[in-house]
Amino acid sequence: MKVLKLDHVGIAVEKIDASLPVWEGLMGIPLNGTEEVVEQKVRTAFLPIGDSEIELLESTDPEGPIGKFLAARGQGVQHLAFRVDDIDAALAELKAKGVRLIDETPRYGAGGARIAFLHPKATGGVLIELCERKPQTQTGGARER
Ligand code: ZN
């Protein structure tokens, strides 16, 4: 498996709009767009910083993963996402090593990425997302604000 970079940091928030004064206002990181990922019951906001980004995650359903996270732990860092060159190969390698995975096969992620989560019990309590992005769907591509 080849990790190319820290792609983004996912932060669970109660409301994206209510969080922007911190990220845009205090930190000066402009919002680059939002997207609802229906399958994940989440609305995401992207705030690029150089070659990485902050991803704010607002739940659209209390039964979704972010809704459950907020209920259990409140707002805060939810996951770290590492970009890999080949997510299928990475998952096959991890499976062969017996690593516990949340996603055995990649699924759709915000921004058109293919993503998969490792189980935090396999990684010392850190929820790790692997993501693979094709060049045309990289950060800075067409997104609606
Ligand atoms: Zn993410």
Side-chain angles (χ1 to χ4, degrees), residues 9 17 66:
V9 178
D17 287 349
I66 298 303

Side-chain angles (χ1 to χ4, degrees), residues 3-32:
V3 173
L4 304 174
K5 65 171 201 168
L6 178 66
D7 189 85
H8 63 268
V9 178
I11 299 175
V13 300
E14 294 287 350
K15 289 283 170 211
I16 287 171
D17 287 349
S19 301
L20 290 178
V22 171
W23 298 100
E24 282 196 308
L26 197 65
M27 300 302 292
I29 306 167
L31 176 68
N32 188 43

Side-chain angles (χ1 to χ4, degrees), residues 8 55 79 81 129:
H8 63 268
E55 180 183 86
H79 67 269
E129 171 190 330

